[in-house]
Amino acid sequence: MNGNPSREISLVGLPERTKGEVEIARPPLLPSHITLSSISRIVFSILSTPMGKWWKWTISITSSLAVVSFLTMVYVISTGIGVWGNQSPVVWGWPIVDFVFWIGIGHAGTLISAILLLSRQKWRNAVNRAAEASAIFAVASGAIFPAIHIGRQWMGWYLFPVPWSAGIWQNLRAALMWDVFAVLTYLTVSLLYWYLGMIPDFATLREKEKNPFKKRLWAILSLGWLGSASQWIHYEMGYLCLAGILTPLVLSVHSFVSCDFASTILPGWHATIFPPYFGVGAIFGGFAMILVLLIPSRALIPKLKELILDEHINQMGKWLLATGSMVGYVYLIELFTAWYSANPYERYAFLNRIKGPYFWAFWSMLFCNSIAPQFLWIKSIRGNPLSLFFVALLANVGMWLERFVIIIISLHRDFLPSSWRIYVPTIIDVLLYVGSIGLFLTLFLLFLRFLPSVAMFEVKTLVHPPLKHKNIPLFSSGEEHKMQEELALASNFSTLSGQKDDSMTPEKGKDLYGIGAEFSSPELLCRAAEKLKLLGFRQFELYSPYPFHELSEVGTLKKSWVSRIVLLGGIVGFFLALILVSTISLPRPSLLKPMLSSSLLSLFYPLVVQGKPYFSLPTFIPIFFELTALFASFGAFFGILFCGGLFKFYHPLFSWKRYNDRGMDDGFFLVVKKTDPLFSSNLYSMLFRLGASGVDPIAEY
């Protein structure tokens, strides 16, 4: 790279790795013609141009199904859940099957976005936004069913820990209450993570948008994001903390859902393998759903193929193969455990699955989830989007059948043969499920049309080459001393004569905020910042459309306080949970009786469950974990907002034309503030000598 490289950096993909003397080139993650500006242009064109007739027809169908679902919900609520096919002994029918199915779908979105971020998997950058969206939409679709299943929905606030509602507390030892905390926490944290990831992209759209209303909307949603080095440091720290919080949430949510079943004594449910079983199956089904969504999206929106390549689809196909193999292994372990236990009821439950009246569901599940994914060992099948789509579609069908097998088949024949009967769903069950699919697809189609479906700033990091200037001296012989003398002379001259350089004069009637310089590459920007620091400058800021490691190294801010705020939020959540479970578990202290009113005394509601002590720590661990994770996530989100100086919708840089044109697109900028002690009239020419392609005064607002 020469002293003044082109703005359009051509390096794509990942660096090569070596094994002995043989170089192993990694597959590129971007086409060779993709540049920083073209990434923004592609995503913006998807949002600004009509989708075509296919989108109108598709969303008309899916929204109609969503309306049918809404009308069906109104009918169920107004009539009663007796219109479902639920009966004794199948007291849990299709609604719970659908609930567990949709909650599982939401897991892969978090896996791709959070766990792969922690493991530094670059291929996630182009697909994580769509995965996060599918996770949120799936959880929203799944939350419909327990909301209806509670019966009297207008009394749903009884679920919340407010003792004055009925004079009693909820039983936080129950797995069903763990579900409430787990699902709501997962949904809240996923929403925060999703929105946080779009803030820099909203700032990019704010620059490119010409429509005044949309421009103002993107400006509000971007919260005044500038892309400064200090903002990126806080952002990356908070984003990483949220990813770290979401990682155990992926494992916890479905583990707690599985406890609804595993904590019973019913054969087919009472199994310690259920938490990892449900978790692996959820990730498998989630990856399948993302493939089912992205493969048609790439075909219908050709511009997506420039950012979401066949390599991304191939990587997700490998994950589908891996998780499908794990699911098959769990099926075998489950059958082996039933046989090895020598429990006749457990053995019969699994024989009933294999050759009972619902044998077709069991064998279809086994084929879709365990046998069909094995075809992905063949590279030609895994690399063909059509065949991979078909396998992923079978996996989604199989995961729904798995929940049907676990719930329906385990229930329809209980310990009393006289109560055995065949479960038959009603048309209401079918309409609710089909309507939930319509709602999910409608939300995803709206997402494709109105929000950036690809994380622009994350994809831009794939274009960023490693900077290789560490061994190059910053200054030639005597250059540093000469610049320091020039700064001193310029500063003394300005102080003695009171004269100003016309080049540093802002618009008439406005005070000077600082001097801004544009650089053509991140390498030149970092070298200029290093030189300014060496000369003694401290009041300056760097601006980039995406984060990279060297940006934080040469910036003036070295550490972020966001991690401490996250820790503080987690501590607050932990002690809030401690107070919550203590007051509902311990007897009323005799010392407090004369000091508290009768309403406050109702806080203490001791409940003996199965002979356990009043304060049974293991049964409260889910509540501790969920509230700690929830408040730690709030700490990460609001820590980024306040430490990064967001919620400021005007900044002097917004009046600088160079920044407004390319600040969050492909521009690299350095701004020296007027408050710097070395600020002088000679700074204008010095920035040009440091490699700037343009230098302008920036006015205060």
Side-chain angles (χ1 to χ4, degrees):
M1 185 176 289
N2 55 32
N4 188 19
S6 170
R7 177 182 304 279
E8 308 298 346
I9 303 171
S10 59
L11 181 65
V12 296
L14 296 173
E16 293 183 344
R17 54 187 176 180
T18 60
K19 184 178 180 181
E21 297 180 355
V22 180
E23 290 189 351
I24 304 174
R26 296 183 178 181
L29 298 178
L30 283 176
S32 58
H33 67 275
I34 289 293
T35 61
L36 295 177
S37 59
S38 63
I39 292 171
S40 305
R41 185 171 59 252
I42 290 170
V43 176
F44 180 73
S45 64
I46 293 174
L47 298 177
S48 57
T49 56
M51 281 287 188
K53 292 183 179 180
W54 70 266
W55 190 85
K56 296 179 181 178
W57 281 104
T58 307
I59 200 168
S60 298
I61 296 171
T62 58
S63 58
S64 299
L65 293 176
V67 170
V68 169
S69 176
F70 174 75
L71 295 176
T72 307
M73 282 188 284
V74 172
Y75 174 72
V76 172
I77 293 172
S78 60
T79 308
I81 60 175
V83 296
W84 287 343
N86 298 7
Q87 30 85 343
S88 182
V90 184
V91 292
W92 281 6
W94 265 33
I96 299 300
V97 174
D98 300 337
F99 164 69
V100 180
F101 170 77
W102 283 118
I103 295 300
I105 292 298
H107 279 58
T110 306
L111 177 89
I112 289 177
S113 190
I115 297 179
L116 297 183
L117 172 66
L118 296 175
S119 58
R120 306 299 183 187
Q121 299 295 313
K122 295 292 185 181
W123 66 268
R124 65 171 283 282
N125 292 9
V127 299
N128 67 315
R129 182 66 52 74
E132 293 165 12
S134 67
I136 294 169
F137 303 152
V139 174
S141 300
I144 294 172
F145 298 97
I148 302 174
H149 213 164
I150 62 175
R152 295 175 293 171
Q153 285 73 25
W154 51 93
M155 305 301 290
W157 58 286
Y158 273 36
L159 291 170
F160 296 94
V162 182
W164 292 275
S165 62
I168 61 173
W169 281 93
Q170 293 74 23
N171 181 14
L172 298 183
R173 297 178 177 87
L176 287 174
M177 283 304 298
W178 299 349
D179 277 2
V180 174
F181 278 82
V183 173
L184 291 180
T185 298
Y186 182 76
L187 178 60
T188 304
V189 177
S190 296
L191 281 169
L192 293 177
Y193 190 69
W194 187 47
Y195 175 66
L196 190 65
M198 288 192 290
I199 288 177
D201 287 352
F202 288 148
T204 305
L205 297 175
R206 176 192 66 202
E207 280 182 7
K208 302 188 76 66
E209 185 60 64
K210 302 303 180 184
N211 182 286
F213 172 77
K214 290 183 179 179
K215 191 177 186 70
R216 187 172 294 123
L217 176 63
W218 297 132
I220 293 172
L221 291 174
S222 66
L223 304 178
W225 179 266
L226 294 170
S228 64
S230 57
Q231 283 183 340
W232 281 123
I233 290 174
H234 296 307
Y235 183 87
E236 286 194 292
M237 177 56 71
Y239 203 58
L240 201 64
C241 289
L242 267 180
I245 294 167
L246 273 169
T247 299
L249 279 178
V250 172
L251 306 175
S252 70
V253 174
H254 233 50
S255 297
F256 295 157
V257 170
S258 71
C259 289
D260 296 343
F261 305 91
S263 59
T264 68
I265 61 171
L266 186 72
W269 287 7
H270 188 63
T272 55
I273 200 176
F274 262 33
Y277 177 8
F278 274 48
V280 171
I283 295 170
F284 172 68
F287 264 106
M289 180 60 76
I290 295 171
L291 285 169
V292 167
L293 294 172
L294 284 184
I295 291 175
S297 298
R298 290 174 72 246
L300 295 170
I301 308 175
K303 291 178 181 177
L304 280 179
K305 290 184 178 180
E306 298 187 63
L307 300 179
I308 303 176
L309 308 184
D310 290 341
E311 175 60 22
H312 297 96
I313 304 300
N314 179 51
Q315 290 291 341
M316 286 191 286
K318 292 178 181 178
W319 274 90
L320 191 68
L321 170 61
T323 51
S325 301
M326 293 178 190
V327 169
Y329 173 76
V330 171
Y331 289 163
L332 293 176
I333 289 296
E334 194 179 25
L335 290 171
F336 172 79
T337 303
W339 169 79
Y340 190 72
S341 67
N343 185 328
Y345 302 104
E346 194 76 20
R347 287 182 175 182
Y348 179 78
F350 281 85
L351 285 174
N352 186 42
R353 291 183 184 183
I354 295 172
K355 56 182 183 179
Y358 293 109
F359 74 95
W360 55 269
F362 174 81
W363 290 106
S364 299
M365 172 200 75
L366 199 62
F367 174 78
C368 293
N369 293 344
S370 301
I371 299 175
Q374 301 310 310
F375 289 101
L376 298 180
W377 285 105
I378 304 172
K379 189 175 181 179
S380 58
I381 295 178
R382 191 177 67 247
N384 187 324
L386 184 60
S387 60
L388 186 57
F389 173 82
F390 182 69
V391 173
L393 190 62
L394 284 178
N396 282 135
V397 173
M399 290 314 297
W400 188 91
L401 287 172
E402 178 190 284
R403 279 58 182 241
F404 181 89
V405 168
I406 292 173
I407 296 172
I408 304 300
I409 300 182
S410 299
L411 282 173
H412 88 109
R413 288 184 175 178
D414 61 4
F415 294 101
L416 190 63
S418 61
S419 65
W420 292 0
R421 68 178 69 176
I422 298 296
Y423 169 81
V424 179
T426 65
I427 187 63
I428 302 299
D429 291 309
V430 177
L431 289 178
L432 273 177
Y433 177 57
V434 173
S436 68
I437 297 175
L439 175 62
F440 175 79
L441 294 177
T442 300
L443 293 174
F444 191 81
L445 287 170
L446 292 174
F447 159 73
L448 286 178
R449 183 66 185 91
F450 297 108
L451 291 175
S453 53
V454 176
M456 289 181 278
F457 81 93
E458 295 196 64
V459 175
K460 287 176 183 178
T461 61
L462 301 177
V463 183
H464 171 67
L467 303 188
K468 301 177 180 179
H469 63 272
K470 292 296 182 182
N471 298 324
I472 303 175
L474 291 175
F475 293 101
S476 59
S477 178
E479 186 180 3
E480 179 184 354
H481 181 68
K482 182 179 179 181
M483 283 190 172
Q484 287 177 341
E485 287 183 347
E486 290 177 357
L487 284 172
L489 288 173
S491 178
N492 292 335
F493 178 77
S494 300
T495 303
L496 294 173
S497 65
Q499 296 183 8
K500 295 182 179 179
D501 190 340
D502 291 339
S503 63
M504 296 175 61
T505 304
E507 298 178 14
K508 186 176 181 181
K510 293 185 178 180
D511 295 329
L512 182 68
Y513 170 75
I515 295 295
E518 181 182 6
F519 294 85
S520 57
S521 73
E523 183 177 23
L524 288 177
L525 174 70
C526 292
R527 285 186 61 81
E530 288 177 334
K531 290 180 179 181
L532 287 180
K533 287 176 69 175
L534 198 58
L535 291 170
F537 286 87
R538 292 296 179 266
Q539 297 293 320
F540 65 88
E541 187 62 275
L542 310 178
Y543 297 88
S544 169
Y546 58 89
F548 52 93
H549 179 66
E550 295 82 5
L551 192 67
S552 60
E553 283 188 340
V554 300
T556 56
L557 181 67
K558 293 300 181 184
K559 284 189 176 182
S560 173
W561 284 83
V562 174
S563 58
R564 295 172 176 84
I565 299 174
V566 172
L567 177 61
L568 179 62
I571 292 172
V572 170
F574 176 83
F575 281 100
L576 180 63
L578 179 63
I579 294 171
L580 180 64
V581 300
S582 299
T583 53
I584 69 171
S585 302
L586 300 177
R588 300 177 184 180
S590 57
L591 294 177
L592 296 181
K593 288 184 179 181
M595 301 171 57
L596 299 175
S597 64
S598 60
S599 60
L600 289 178
L601 284 176
S602 64
L603 287 171
F604 299 96
Y605 192 84
L607 186 64
V608 178
V609 178
Q610 298 175 348
K612 296 175 182 177
Y614 285 123
F615 190 86
S616 181
L617 183 59
T619 57
F620 291 133
I621 286 177
I623 307 300
F624 279 102
F625 173 76
E626 298 298 338
L627 286 181
T628 301
L630 180 63
F631 278 80
S633 301
F634 287 148
F637 182 77
F638 291 106
I640 291 173
L641 298 190
F642 292 113
C643 292
L646 299 180
F647 283 115
K648 294 180 180 178
F649 295 98
Y650 189 78
H651 191 275
L653 257 68
F654 293 149
S655 63
W656 186 21
K657 188 177 184 304
R658 290 181 188 272
Y659 176 83
N660 283 333
D661 289 343
R662 290 193 299 272
M664 288 301 297
D665 188 9
D666 63 347
F668 302 93
F669 300 91
L670 185 151
V671 175
V672 182
K673 299 177 184 178
K674 185 182 178 181
T675 54
D676 195 291
L678 295 180
F679 191 87
S680 67
S681 58
N682 199 40
L683 184 60
Y684 189 87
S685 59
M686 181 182 294
L687 288 172
F688 272 116
R689 289 164 61 185
L690 292 178
S693 58
V695 182
D696 299 303
I698 303 174
E700 281 277 11
Y701 55 90

